[in-house]
Amino acid sequence: MKLKALQALVAAIEEGSLRSAARRIGVSQPALTKLVRELEVELAAPLLERHSQGVRPTPQGQVMFEHALKVSRELASATDQIQQLGGQMRGELNVAAVPVAMMLLIPETLRTYSRTFPDIRLRVSEELFIDQLQKLRSGQVDLVVGGIPEGLPSGEFITESLMETRMVVVARRGSRHARARRLAELSDASWVYTGTSAQTGYASRLFESHNLPAPPVGAMVNSTLALLALIGSGDLLGLMPKQIVSQPLAGQDIVEVPLQEPGLLLTVGVIVRRGSVVSPAIRQFIAHLHRAAHHLSSKDL
């Protein structure tokens, strides 16, 4: 099976056009068609079907496409690692960060890492934790940064703690909820959850730790920007790292609610696949994460 044929298939499916795919990989359209056809003969299955706008994968083609993508990523990763082991810090690093990590550690880490290794292309995605773990499993990302959950399969992942933070209750400045003193007073308020359900949200964990039922879900988000926008512009409550509440990122419209109960203690760390080769670029990124965590350690939890 030729690597060039796999590249032709991936390009054709991603572009949706044989002409565009041929231009992308630097061959003529007849040559690209021949490469895909050779792959179809080898597999004894149709991989592409034509339609009025171009081409799309058959069910067999979709399966081959997904595996070909993985092969391409692995080969690119191997090339980067070999160069890095030889002292050439070049390549691409794909980082997945959940909102709490994006607020706490990623900005400072990107600042120092990019300055030190300008030839490493950084790609940072911010999504829900369960989506990030799936990407880590499939090799779409190199590491995940976020709160380390309980019950993470130790045989599948390796975790490294970076810091502890306390997630505190926040509200819009001037909100009637900003005057609350006990968590029970906020049981009927609407909350912003960062998770796929009320059961996975930090708000549920906070209330459960004080033997209270989970509060109503006002909204579910998967990004820092959405969390800040909803809390800062409405009457919703949420949880944010204590170190961030007073920072410019939170803005002047968001304040900590002065509750008697302590916030939710959370360990923030990095997660990599067990058995995968941790490249010099990844090791250096983790080192810069530790520096960013140390930078925040002087702030009270």
Side-chain angles (χ1 to χ4, degrees):
M1 191 172 292
K2 296 179 181 178
L3 178 59
K4 195 69 172 180
L6 294 177
Q7 292 173 336
L9 178 68
V10 168
I13 293 175
E14 288 186 339
E15 297 290 336
S17 162
L18 295 178
R19 179 179 299 175
S20 298
R23 189 183 308 116
R24 173 170 142 181
I25 67 172
V27 300
S28 66
Q29 184 173 334
L32 181 133
T33 301
K34 183 180 179 182
L35 285 169
V36 174
R37 181 57 187 155
E38 288 175 353
L39 197 55
E40 290 178 322
V41 170
E42 185 175 354
L43 295 171
L47 301 177
L48 293 176
E49 59 183 21
R50 295 179 181 272
H51 59 93
S52 58
Q53 276 79 42
V55 294
R56 58 175 166 245
T58 63
Q60 298 95 322
Q62 184 63 34
V63 171
M64 197 66 224
F65 169 71
E66 292 172 4
H67 285 276
L69 273 181
K70 188 173 182 179
V71 169
S72 298
R73 286 195 298 266
E74 292 293 337
L75 286 174
S77 177
T79 301
D80 290 346
Q81 288 179 32
I82 290 169
Q83 291 179 338
Q84 291 162 18
L85 289 169
Q88 301 179 55
M89 291 299 285
R90 298 188 177 95
E92 183 172 285
L93 187 61
N94 292 284
V95 180
V98 296
V100 63
M102 192 66 76
M103 287 187 284
L104 276 175
L105 298 174
I106 295 300
E108 176 66 12
T109 302
L110 294 187
R111 185 184 71 81
T112 60
Y113 187 86
S114 297
R115 184 178 60 195
T116 308
F117 304 108
D119 294 327
I120 297 290
R121 299 183 304 276
L122 286 170
R123 296 181 182 271
V124 181
S125 59
E126 181 185 17
E127 296 178 81
L128 297 177
F129 194 83
I130 189 169
D131 296 329
Q132 302 291 26
L133 284 186
Q134 291 297 338
K135 288 185 175 182
L136 186 60
R137 286 188 177 101
S138 66
Q140 292 177 263
V141 298
D142 298 302
L143 69 159
V144 170
V145 189
I148 299 178
E150 297 178 359
L152 194 66
S154 59
E156 188 176 6
F157 302 108
I158 298 174
T159 63
E160 183 173 335
S161 297
L162 296 169
M163 64 177 295
E164 285 190 337
T165 186
R166 197 170 289 279
M167 303 291 284
V168 297
V169 179
V170 293
R172 175 181 54 81
R173 186 183 299 276
S175 167
R176 58 190 175 90
H177 301 307
R179 299 186 297 272
R181 294 296 180 268
R182 298 301 302 267
L183 188 62
E185 298 174 40
L186 305 175
S187 295
D188 295 329
S190 294
W191 287 68
V192 180
Y193 282 73
T194 52
T196 55
S197 69
Q199 289 71 36
T200 62
Y202 290 135
S204 291
R205 290 170 54 185
L206 174 64
F207 274 73
E208 288 170 6
S209 69
H210 294 288
N211 299 313
L212 294 169
V217 179
M220 288 190 181
V221 300
N222 65 348
S223 78
T224 303
L225 181 60
L227 176 67
L228 293 171
L230 287 173
I231 295 175
S233 61
D235 209 26
L236 296 167
L237 297 171
L239 287 168
M240 287 177 55
K242 187 175 180 66
Q243 296 97 324
I244 296 297
V245 178
S246 60
Q247 299 301 309
L249 177 64
Q252 297 301 310
D253 293 324
I254 296 177
V255 296
E256 179 182 350
V257 179
L259 301 177
Q260 294 180 22
E261 295 91 345
L264 181 69
L265 195 62
L266 182 69
T267 299
V268 179
V270 60
I271 306 172
V272 297
R273 294 190 307 277
R274 184 177 291 278
S276 63
V277 177
V278 180
S279 68
I282 295 175
R283 292 185 188 279
Q284 288 292 340
F285 192 84
I286 293 173
H288 280 257
L289 282 168
H290 277 288
R291 291 179 189 177
H294 180 72
H295 181 72
L296 287 170
S297 63
S298 61
K299 295 182 172 63
D300 292 334
L301 292 179

